[in-house]
Amino acid sequence: MKAGSIAAPFAVRVRATSCKCRTPFQAFARQTRHLFQPPRPHGRELDAGPRNPIDPVAAHRHEAIRRAYWIRRNKFMFVGAVVCMIAPVVILYASDIPTVDPQKTKDGMPQRKSSFWPRENADSNSKATETFAGKPVHVIPGGKVLAEDPDSRTGAEVELLETGTSTIPHFPKTIHIPEQNQIAGTTNVTDDEYTLVGLGIRTVSFLSIQVYVLGMYVRTTDIGTLQSAMIRQVDPVATALVPSEKDQLRQKLLDPEGGRVAWEQLLRDNGIRTAFRIVPTRNTDFAHLRDGWVRGVTARTQEATKRGDLSYEDEQFGTSMRDFKTIFGGKGKAPKGSVLLLTRDERGKLGALYQEKEGKGVYQTMGVVNDERIGRLVWMGYLAGKNVSSESARKGIVDGVMEFVERPVGTVETRIS
């Protein structure tokens, strides 16, 4: 065999390899790399399977450690992101915010608030907390906060209670609500006095955005009837409750089913006049308020149907619901600081009154619904059930009832008078 024929395949390989490599050394390394690799298995060795230079158990552990590292890293990153979002809010509320009027301090320096969760936020000024309906607020010995009653023609003063928000800082302890047939375009006849039972704040979403402050009032002359009805829930013959009986009544009123039975019996059978005073803490509209009440009424009618109560299935109730929606339909905005009164007379007739600015102007009638079921269901949306429109309002009303029932029947309205 000729030498040229022997070298020809090698030459071809070198030329083919050299065309892929940049230097002769790279070509030589590619041709001789098999000398440094383990021999390929053959025969019986091939049946035993390939040799893996890496331990499979160790590889599995290494992969598990790597995954655990990245999972732990992601968790730390998530926690860090959450802390970065929450920290500014906590710092804002925890910081001492000076008041805007340093002249009222003794040393000329602004006063600072030291509470961790201050009740007054930076979105309201000091003037809002120092006035009520445009009238100056002052404190008398004993800690009572007083201001001139905007409903009084003689300049009498009314006691104020704190609401817990700086936007609407005070609610009057007593108000005067005109009769539906006495509302005129220029004057209000204020002959019915109502006393505050309890108040709270309506909030929405998980951020607890404040929508309005509401308080439940009862006609002062009907407080004795309210006392008797609540006392009979625990002791049919008592005229006042002792502390242990008060705790029993409190638990019943806060219980979803027990509270429903107690309040429905009171509203349906006892013929007392009550009212809810609602003051928005931000600009809203009547359609938004109406939709919240309609959802509450719908939820309670569905619960009644599940219990076998079919009293809300007739055509008259549907007509009354449409009348209720019509009261607030197309009424436009309800600005911050306006007053909406929902009244319920001794027969259960629901009425709606509106005052554009708290303590200024007359109450304008918006409409009435004669079906007592509508008013009762709207009231129940605040008073009883598993989910109420304002939990703080329900607790405040229950606390007010506890103050009533600890005194003998008939003494509370005498003391107010």
Side-chain angles (χ1 to χ4, degrees):
M1 183 178 292
K2 296 181 180 182
S5 61
I6 297 174
F10 180 77
V12 173
R13 182 185 298 180
V14 170
R15 285 196 299 272
T17 306
S18 62
C19 67
K20 297 181 181 180
C21 303
R22 297 181 180 180
T23 63
F25 176 78
Q26 291 179 348
F28 177 78
R30 289 177 62 88
Q31 294 176 7
T32 59
R33 62 185 179 183
H34 66 280
L35 300 176
F36 303 97
Q37 293 179 351
R40 296 182 178 179
H42 56 83
R44 294 182 178 179
E45 295 180 358
L46 185 61
D47 298 337
R51 294 181 180 180
N52 188 356
I54 302 177
D55 185 359
V57 176
H60 176 73
R61 291 176 178 173
H62 176 74
E63 178 66 16
I65 293 173
R66 188 182 70 85
R67 286 178 58 85
Y69 167 77
W70 286 107
I71 292 175
R72 185 168 61 253
R73 184 183 178 92
N74 290 338
K75 290 181 179 179
F76 280 125
M77 292 174 61
F78 176 76
V79 172
V82 173
V83 170
C84 290
M85 290 187 292
I86 296 178
V89 180
V90 175
I91 294 174
L92 176 65
Y93 278 93
S95 301
D96 293 337
I97 303 176
T99 58
V100 297
D101 192 2
Q103 298 179 355
K104 295 188 177 183
T105 60
K106 294 181 179 180
D107 55 358
M109 297 298 293
Q111 294 179 348
R112 295 181 179 271
K113 296 173 287 184
S114 58
S115 60
F116 185 78
W117 297 107
R119 296 177 62 179
E120 296 182 3
N121 298 326
D123 62 348
S124 65
N125 51 38
S126 59
K127 185 177 179 180
T129 61
E130 296 171 358
T131 61
F132 171 73
K135 307 296 182 181
V137 173
H138 60 276
V139 182
I140 64 174
K144 289 186 178 182
V145 181
L146 301 179
E148 183 179 337
D149 188 354
D151 294 332
S152 175
R153 299 178 180 180
T154 60
E157 293 185 328
V158 62
E159 182 180 352
L160 303 178
L161 299 179
E162 294 185 357
T163 62
T165 175
S166 59
T167 309
I168 308 295
H170 302 109
F171 249 44
K173 188 172 183 180
T174 59
I175 60 175
H176 294 84
I177 300 179
E179 294 283 352
Q180 289 292 330
N181 56 2
Q182 294 176 335
I183 300 174
T186 57
T187 59
N188 285 341
V189 180
T190 56
D191 57 345
D192 275 343
E193 183 185 70
Y194 285 69
T195 301
L196 180 66
V197 181
L199 56 83
I201 303 173
R202 158 75 167 165
T203 59
V204 295
S205 83
F206 69 97
L207 297 176
S208 297
I209 299 175
Q210 298 179 357
V211 181
Y212 55 79
V213 182
L214 74 150
M216 180 182 177
Y217 289 80
V218 60
R219 189 169 61 169
T220 303
T221 56
D222 292 336
I223 293 179
T225 306
L226 174 63
Q227 284 180 283
S228 300
M230 287 300 175
I231 291 174
R232 286 197 301 268
Q233 296 290 333
V234 178
D235 190 339
V237 297
T239 59
L241 296 183
V242 298
S244 60
E245 293 174 332
K246 286 175 53 181
D247 293 338
Q248 183 180 350
L249 177 60
R250 181 190 298 275
Q251 293 176 2
K252 182 174 183 178
L253 294 179
L254 294 177
D255 179 73
E257 184 61 21
R260 181 190 66 81
V261 174
W263 283 112
E264 277 195 348
Q265 182 179 357
L266 174 70
L267 297 174
R268 181 184 296 168
D269 303 332
N270 289 276
I272 65 174
R273 292 193 176 190
T274 54
F276 275 104
R277 185 176 188 266
I278 298 172
V279 182
T281 60
R282 60 181 64 244
N283 294 330
T284 183
D285 55 71
F286 289 105
H288 175 74
L289 299 174
R290 176 201 61 192
D291 293 341
W293 293 320
V294 170
R295 285 194 298 268
V297 171
T298 303
R300 275 151 185 79
T301 55
Q302 292 175 351
E303 293 175 359
T305 303
K306 293 180 180 178
R307 296 193 303 267
D309 183 1
L310 303 180
S311 59
Y312 307 105
E313 300 296 327
D314 60 305
E315 184 178 354
Q316 179 60 40
F317 181 78
T319 303
S320 300
M321 278 297 298
R322 287 192 294 271
D323 294 340
F324 177 74
K325 295 178 182 179
T326 304
I327 291 178
F328 304 99
K331 295 298 190 295
K333 302 293 184 180
K336 168 184 170 183
S338 58
V339 179
L340 176 64
L341 289 177
L342 296 180
T343 63
R344 192 172 187 273
D345 65 10
E346 64 275 8
R347 294 182 299 273
K349 181 175 69 174
L350 182 144
L353 307 175
Y354 174 67
Q355 190 178 47
E356 188 174 357
K357 189 66 176 177
E358 187 176 29
K360 297 180 180 180
V362 297
Y363 285 108
Q364 301 294 333
T365 181
M366 301 180 68
V368 296
V369 179
N370 292 319
D371 193 337
E372 71 88 18
R373 295 173 293 182
I374 301 297
R376 174 156 49 88
L377 290 175
V378 173
W379 262 232
M380 295 298 291
Y382 295 110
L383 298 176
K386 185 176 181 181
N387 297 313
V388 293
S389 297
S390 172
E391 186 62 34
S392 64
R394 172 164 67 172
K395 292 181 179 179
I397 293 170
V398 172
D399 291 341
V401 171
M402 295 303 105
E403 294 182 4
F404 287 163
V405 298
E406 70 182 3
R407 298 187 178 95
V409 175
T411 60
V412 176
E413 59 267 34
T414 304
R415 183 181 177 208
I416 295 175
S417 301

